[in-house]
Amino acid sequence: MTLILLAVSLSIALCVIAFNFAIYALPFMVGLAAFRYVYATDASIAMSLVAALGAAGLSVVVAAAVLAFVRAPLLRLPVLVLFAAPAALAGYAVVHGVAHNVIESTVALNLLCGTGGLFVGIAALMNINAHAAAFTPR
């Protein structure tokens, strides 16, 4: 019984951590791609790390600038979706990792994972939009 409660509590903690870090999925993916690209050109790990941090920071700065200066919701939507799509994929993966040993039906597992990914994606979209309000000039 203790092991089951531990597994449930760790699964909930993992979902909460993933839910809070979902808005950083796009900068992480951009940074990882930059790191892999620079490292593949026979650069050192330090130079690859600098390139990854620069690319991730640049993606955040560009998105914050677009969200700060564009007022039309239809023009802000692609930037918000660009940040929310990797968060939705991360949410899908987290739910799949937690539930794939419990649910045997593939259809039910995909429906549950899709719902979890959609929930995390929408929450990340709202969270990014709320953070963008802090950058908006008055």
Side-chain angles (χ1 to χ4, degrees), residues 40-96:
T41 62
D42 293 332
S44 67
I45 291 179
M47 186 56 83
S48 301
L49 187 62
V50 168
L53 291 174
L58 185 64
S59 70
V60 171
V61 167
V62 168
V66 168
L67 292 175
F69 294 113
V70 174
R71 299 258 187 231
L74 288 177
L75 295 176
R76 292 169 60 111
L77 188 62
V79 175
L80 293 172
V81 168
L82 185 68
F83 261 79
L89 288 174
Y92 181 93
V94 167
V95 173
H96 187 275

Side-chain angles (χ1 to χ4, degrees), residues 3-4 8-9 15 17-18 22 25 28 31 47-48 67 69-70 79 81 91 93-94 97 104 110 122 133 136 138:
L3 189 59
I4 293 172
V8 169
S9 63
C15 289
I17 289 170
F28 177 77
M47 186 56 83
S48 301
L67 292 175
F69 294 113
V70 174
V79 175
V81 168
V94 167
E104 294 182 15
N110 283 332
I122 290 172
T136 304
R138 307 229 185 253

Side-chain angles (χ1 to χ4, degrees), residues 107-137:
V107 174
L109 181 63
N110 283 332
L111 286 174
L112 179 67
C113 294
T115 303
L118 184 68
F119 178 70
V120 170
I122 290 172
L125 187 87
M126 291 174 19
N127 198 358
I128 293 165
N129 200 23
H131 283 299
F135 293 113
T136 304

